[in-house]
Amino acid sequence: MQKKKEMIAMLLAGGQGSRLGVLTAKMAKPAVSFGGKYRIIDFPLSNCINSGVDTVGVLTQYEPLRLNSHIGIGVPWDLDRNYGGVTVLSPYERSENSDWYTGTANAVYQNISYIETYNPDYVLILGGDHIYKMDYELMLNYHKAKKADITMAAMPVPIEEASRFGVLVTDPETGRITEFEEKPEHPKSNLASMGIYIFNWPVLKEALITNKDVPGLDFGKHVIPYCHGKGNPVFCYEYNSYWKDVGTLQSYWEANMELIDLVPVFNLYEEYWKIYTNNDLTAPQFFDDNAVVERCIISEKASIYGTVKNSVIGPNVTIGPGAEVYDSILMGNVKIGENAKVYKAIIAEDSVVGAGAVLGYGEYRESTYNPKVYCSDLVTVGECSVIPPGVTIGKNTAIYGITEAEDYPNGGLESGNAVIKAGETL
Amino acid sequence: MKAIGIILAAGNSKRMRELTAKRCTAAMPMCGTYRAVDFVLTNMAYSHIQSVAVLTQYNSRSLSEHLNSSRWWDFGRKQGGLYVYHPTITPDNSSWYRGTLDSMCQNIRFLKESHEPYVIIASGDGVYRLDYNKVLDYHIEKRADITIVTADMRPWEDSTRFGQVRTDGDGRVTEFEEKPMQEESKDVNTGVYVIRRRLLIEILETCMEEDRYDLVRDVIIRYRRVKRIYAYHMDGYWSSISSAESYYKTNLDFLNKDVRDTFFTEDETVLTKANDFPPAKYNPGSSVKHALVASGTIINGTVENSVIFKKSYIGNGAVIKNSVILNDVYIGDNARVENCIVESHNTLYADSVYVGDPNDVRIVVENNARYF
């Protein structure tokens, strides 16, 4: 007789998140740092354990190294279990029909055997790229009370934004979903699907197997409409608290900056719903005699010799003497050289800004590199990058790789441009 | 590693004053995020010692809680592990630990059932970074029976609360004076010893028959002429926090880059139980200079030359100078704290003033209610 888990979670963490530009060049979006010491995936993982869901399959595909090393065996979330716990599920080769994960539901389809191991009644489907706190157990209680086959979490959004989402039209009395529209031009409702679903496992299994040959099998596009069309009761669980999509550089920056508000909307300082992360640095942060700090959050082992205001600072960051950092996000291990000026920048892990360099200078200009991704006045620096001393970098720029003075004609980078030096180096 | 570890953490020191009213010295919070015992446990872990016993007695609850899982020091193995031994009543014994030696006598089975040839004995209140393998190599090279690790105290420190060692040219201990009336030198016993396991068992069995209970008095001093006792001098930072003054100064020492660099390199840190506090938050109006701040803290006021432990709150206009604020302390608006150690979980009301003497640190213990 198999042991049993009432509900297990499948966390979709395989996407690139290409609108985060150089931030996701070498890591999947769920692995991107957030709020100083966290990574985006910490939020759904912490929600799982706080909700009593102790079995989580994390579906990875795009650049999984950071994600794998971050999750490890799940110790920070207490997801290292003798039975259950966290399991990283990558696509694998099989005797026939091997394939990458071609869509969200296809990824789950390819892991039916993992789910069956736990013989669950319910399967919780989660995305790995939103910032929120949510008690999935309450959602499960709702799901049971409604005798639903599928429950979708949704939250009200401004009607003009609703066309970016899957929109749910519900029966106001029962909460049962009457209509489901994926990214409609003229939304009939402002309830946006959050990409969080609870399925009765037999219903999901049947839908996955029946539709297994649909190319790019996707929950929103195929599985939900299929089940809804078949007459399965699909209910809407309305959620009315903080939920933030950090899919673009601008929204990523804004969500970070909200954390430094005097009383943040999204409060990390609550005791009863903690967010856990894998952080092996424990040392306190140090402030020099000449340090100036205001309106910031700062993580472990940071050393501040200069000035830092309105910023989110990750672990082990060094801000050199005379340096100024304003309105910026510095992820773990970033080093800002002496007298460097950093204005409105996102600098990813392990990067170094040379002494006297200026980031975020001048006026906004449209990106000549990739206007779809780079469309704000942010300077974005990818991980492990180096910016040589003394250069001047304009707004709406991107830098990735170990750059040298020669990469900056006239000692600078005009607004709207990019220097990308990716690839292997010896 | 060819050794097992024993950490002596059972005793109390009156010099800690009110600080050890609710915990033992080894459990004292340190440097914002640690407890004192983390330093010796980190040394043991980085020296690849796989089996460590912590002997506790006085006020051991905090220490036991801190050590509830051995994984944070990487001792969570099938082979070896981290063991916390409290005094226990057996058919043969109904006494508390009557001294450092007695605490080992009462746990002699731990020694007998190990198979490593050597034992590293260390006190739980030392703050230092040491690879015990170096001491062991020295011990073997000198063909010593017991090796004592010594270190220099700083000029301003009183060395008469420690043991003082005199050696011949080879490093062999010729004289040992415990807590002498007059200071002889600044080179003192750090409470770290290396000894062969079988020899220790032999000595313990003899001492049990003779009702001897103190490691220094009944072994080191008594055996100094019949056994080859050597001193290994440790360079670098060493401090014992076993007095309130030393505790205060040791915490402030970490404001010094050289001291931090001793413990926190790119590759090594001090290992401790994970905590899940969010990043420290600095609100408008905050000013923080020459300070160490731990996670989970929210600062609205001014902090200078101080160490702020995790999950503390400093109100608007509050001024903290030359102080050590332990974890979960709430300091109300416009309060002033200077030259103080503020005990953990305290609440200092708005506008209150606590000022100690620079040479006689004030320990603040308030039982104020926190109304939120």
Side-chain angles (χ1 to χ4, degrees):
Chain A
M1 182 61 196
Q2 266 182 328
K3 287 195 258 183
K4 183 172 177 66
K5 296 277 182 190
E6 185 185 30
M7 177 161 81
I8 73 168
M10 298 297 275
L11 205 165
L12 303 160
Q16 176 182 358
S18 56
R19 286 174 305 154
L20 288 178
V22 292
L23 299 185
T24 53
K26 277 281 193 183
M27 68 176 94
K29 179 171 157 190
V32 172
S33 296
F34 183 84
K37 65 190 285 191
Y38 305 101
R39 293 183 188 273
I40 294 170
I41 198 170
D42 291 336
F43 295 88
L45 277 181
S46 300
N47 286 340
C48 280
I49 195 68
N50 290 342
S51 306
V53 178
D54 68 4
T55 306
V56 184
V58 179
L59 300 151
T60 65
Q61 175 159 286
Y62 176 80
E63 289 285 355
L65 179 61
R66 276 273 184 188
L67 210 48
N68 281 329
S69 57
H70 181 67
I71 293 171
I73 59 166
V75 170
W77 305 272
D78 273 345
L79 285 171
D80 53 325
R81 300 277 162 157
N82 288 342
Y83 181 67
V86 64
T87 308
V88 177
L89 303 166
S90 307
Y92 55 93
E93 195 180 344
R94 42 187 91 204
S95 55
E96 50 191 76
N97 298 328
S98 302
D99 209 344
W100 294 100
Y101 296 153
T102 57
T104 51
N106 176 265
V108 176
Y109 166 74
Q110 293 198 33
N111 289 286
I112 284 180
S113 49
Y114 167 81
I115 299 173
E116 296 270 77
T117 320
Y118 296 102
N119 190 24
D121 296 329
Y122 308 100
V123 175
L124 170 67
I125 307 289
L126 301 171
D129 42 13
H130 292 104
I131 307 298
Y132 65 110
K133 296 179 186 177
M134 183 171 179
D135 190 341
Y136 305 130
E137 196 175 7
L138 296 180
M139 182 169 164
L140 179 62
N141 291 345
Y142 175 91
H143 178 83
K144 289 179 192 166
K146 293 290 182 185
K147 298 192 167 57
D149 278 353
I150 304 172
T151 298
M152 305 173 68
M155 67 180 292
V157 295
I159 191 86
E160 55 274 17
E161 282 182 36
S163 58
R164 293 200 294 126
F165 298 93
V167 167
L168 311 181
V169 183
T170 60
D171 175 342
E173 298 241 319
T174 60
R176 184 165 173 164
I177 293 169
T178 53
E179 230 177 301
F180 181 81
E181 305 172 300
E182 182 70 14
K183 296 184 181 154
E185 236 176 89
H186 304 289
K188 288 184 192 154
S189 144
N190 70 339
L191 277 177
S193 166
M194 298 160 68
I196 300 167
Y197 316 108
I198 290 176
F199 282 87
N200 287 352
W201 172 231
V203 173
L204 176 60
K205 189 178 169 189
E206 188 274 328
L208 291 174
I209 292 173
T210 309
N211 295 293
K212 66 180 170 146
D213 293 324
V214 176
L217 189 64
D218 183 271
F219 279 103
K221 286 197 198 99
H222 309 115
V223 174
I224 302 287
Y226 166 80
C227 294
H228 184 245
K230 216 158 57 91
N232 292 103
V234 184
F235 279 81
C236 168
Y237 176 74
E238 199 174 315
Y239 175 82
N240 284 299
S241 190
Y242 188 92
W243 181 78
K244 191 83 176 181
D245 176 73
V246 287
T248 66
L249 288 169
Q250 182 66 23
S251 67
Y252 172 81
W253 181 83
E254 281 168 12
N256 272 278
M257 289 302 144
E258 283 171 9
L259 297 173
I260 61 175
D261 289 344
L262 189 55
V263 179
V265 191
F266 188 69
N267 193 344
L268 293 167
Y269 297 81
E270 292 170 334
E271 277 294 304
Y272 62 91
W273 200 269
K274 279 192 174 179
I275 305 299
Y276 306 99
T277 188
N278 185 350
N279 183 0
D280 51 4
L281 294 170
T282 52
Q285 44 203 279
F286 172 72
F287 296 87
D288 184 59
D289 290 356
N290 301 313
V292 177
V293 55
E294 220 177 344
R295 267 195 109 236
C296 288
I297 58 172
I298 302 183
S299 311
E300 283 85 354
K301 214 190 165 197
S303 301
I304 314 293
Y305 296 88
T307 299
V308 53
K309 290 188 179 176
N310 296 336
S311 294
V312 173
I313 308 296
N316 199 25
V317 165
T318 305
I319 297 179
E324 290 178 16
V325 175
Y326 287 90
D327 307 309
S328 295
I329 299 164
L330 309 187
M331 301 184 197
N333 305 324
V334 165
K335 306 240 173 313
I336 306 293
E338 283 179 34
N339 300 315
K341 313 274 180 253
V342 177
Y343 305 111
K344 217 176 171 196
I346 301 172
I347 306 182
E349 282 106 326
D350 302 302
S351 292
V352 178
V353 175
V358 179
L359 276 66
Y361 171 83
E363 297 301 315
Y364 169 83
R365 224 177 282 166
E366 196 182 328
S367 180
T368 57
Y369 171 61
N370 187 345
K372 273 200 182 124
V373 172
Y374 302 97
C375 49
S376 63
D377 50 2
L378 290 159
V379 179
T380 310
V381 181
E383 63 175 332
C384 304
S385 299
V386 175
I387 296 174
V391 296
T392 303
I393 315 278
K395 289 194 165 81
N396 196 21
T397 46
I399 294 167
Y400 183 42
I402 298 173
T403 64
E404 288 154 18
E406 299 88 81
D407 300 314
Y408 300 89
N410 308 322
L413 183 68
E414 297 278 323
S415 292
N417 285 330
V419 181
I420 307 293
K421 288 183 80 179
E424 276 94 22
T425 46
L426 282 173
Chain B
M1 181 69 175
K2 301 185 286 273
I4 55 173
I6 292 183
I7 296 174
L8 303 175
N12 183 30
S13 165
K14 286 206 169 61
R15 292 165 192 265
M16 292 301 283
R17 292 150 61 184
E18 301 94 313
L19 292 173
T20 49
K22 62 179 182 186
R23 59 173 97 71
C24 56
T25 312
M28 279 306 296
M30 281 296 300
C31 316
T33 50
Y34 304 105
R35 288 186 186 267
V37 74
D38 290 333
F39 291 92
V40 58
L41 283 173
T42 299
N43 288 334
M44 297 235 170
Y46 285 158
S47 302
H48 307 293
I49 295 176
Q50 303 215 345
S51 182
V52 175
V54 181
L55 309 184
T56 75
Q57 171 167 283
Y58 174 80
N59 236 351
S60 58
R61 183 187 52 83
S62 283
L63 187 62
S64 300
E65 286 174 2
H66 186 60
L67 303 178
N68 78 327
S69 167
S70 49
R71 67 152 35 109
W72 313 116
W73 303 271
D74 213 6
F75 291 126
R77 310 268 145 229
K78 287 190 288 178
Q79 306 288 328
L82 179 67
Y83 308 97
V84 182
Y85 293 130
H86 303 269
T88 175
I89 293 171
T90 67
D92 314 323
N93 173 56
S94 56
S95 302
W96 294 91
Y97 296 154
R98 287 160 290 192
T100 44
L101 192 67
D102 191 39
S103 67
M104 287 191 280
C105 290
Q106 292 195 28
N107 292 291
I108 199 163
R109 290 225 70 79
F110 171 71
L111 291 163
K112 287 187 171 173
E113 286 169 9
S114 298
H115 55 266
E116 289 84 348
Y118 295 96
V119 183
I120 310 283
I121 302 170
S123 71
D125 56 10
V127 177
Y128 59 99
R129 175 77 192 92
L130 176 63
D131 183 351
Y132 296 125
N133 290 298
K134 287 185 188 160
V135 189
L136 190 56
D137 289 346
Y138 173 90
H139 179 84
I140 292 167
E141 182 204 315
K142 295 289 183 187
R143 297 174 50 233
D145 290 318
I146 301 174
T147 298
I148 304 175
V149 177
T150 67
D152 286 330
M153 303 196 76
R154 279 137 315 164
W156 50 266
E157 280 176 307
D158 171 23
S159 66
T160 59
R161 66 189 172 96
F162 295 95
Q164 303 201 343
V165 171
R166 198 176 300 151
T167 57
D168 65 13
D170 190 39
R172 183 167 172 177
V173 173
T174 53
E175 272 314 316
F176 187 103
E177 244 196 294
E178 178 68 355
K179 298 175 186 160
M181 301 287 289
Q182 275 188 323
E183 187 172 282
E184 298 220 334
S185 81
K186 289 287 180 195
D187 193 16
V188 300
N189 174 14
T190 63
V192 178
Y193 311 93
V194 176
I195 183 170
R196 215 154 34 79
R197 184 174 56 89
R198 288 195 182 284
L199 175 62
L200 179 61
I201 291 171
E202 209 176 283
I203 291 174
L204 291 178
E205 283 177 337
T206 312
C207 289
M208 274 194 274
E209 281 171 21
E210 297 171 352
D211 289 333
R212 299 182 188 278
Y213 306 129
D214 189 74
L215 177 63
V216 169
R217 191 183 59 224
D218 297 327
V219 178
I220 305 297
I221 295 178
R222 202 156 164 273
Y223 281 77
R224 72 188 182 283
R225 300 203 207 284
V226 294
K227 294 289 181 193
R228 292 167 59 83
I229 302 184
Y230 274 75
Y232 173 94
H233 185 81
M234 161 169 56
D235 295 320
Y237 185 86
W238 173 79
S239 178
S240 163
I241 60 153
S242 58
S243 75
E245 187 202 17
S246 168
Y247 172 76
Y248 171 72
K249 292 203 161 138
T250 304
N251 273 289
L252 293 184
D253 278 345
F254 276 77
L255 291 170
N256 185 333
K257 186 168 182 353
D258 294 340
V259 175
R260 286 203 309 284
D261 288 349
T262 306
F263 295 95
F264 314 127
T265 64
E266 286 299 320
D267 304 322
E268 290 180 343
T269 180
V270 179
L271 305 171
T272 189
K273 185 175 178 172
N275 63 59
D276 295 291
F277 296 113
K281 189 160 186 287
Y282 303 86
N283 284 331
S286 64
S287 165
V288 184
K289 290 181 197 298
H290 201 54
L292 286 167
V293 179
S295 296
T297 289
I298 300 177
I299 296 184
N300 297 288
T302 299
V303 176
E304 275 175 37
N305 196 42
S306 296
V307 181
I308 313 291
F309 284 54
K310 53 200 177 190
K311 215 185 152 224
S312 288
Y313 177 90
I314 315 284
N316 287 311
V319 177
I320 315 297
K321 280 186 184 166
N322 312 325
S323 291
V324 174
I325 312 292
L326 299 198
N327 41 299
D328 188 32
V329 168
Y330 180 95
I331 296 182
D333 295 349
N334 304 313
R336 189 155 74 93
V337 181
E338 279 181 42
N339 308 316
C340 287
I341 300 170
V342 180
E343 180 56 291
S344 58
H345 310 294
N346 262 311
T347 301
L348 308 188
Y349 288 146
D351 304 313
S352 55
V353 177
Y354 299 86
V355 179
D357 186 308
N359 297 312
D360 182 20
V361 61
R362 175 170 174 189
I363 299 172
V364 179
V365 183
E366 291 284 7
N367 293 310
N368 293 334
R370 202 180 287 187
Y371 300 105
F372 45 84

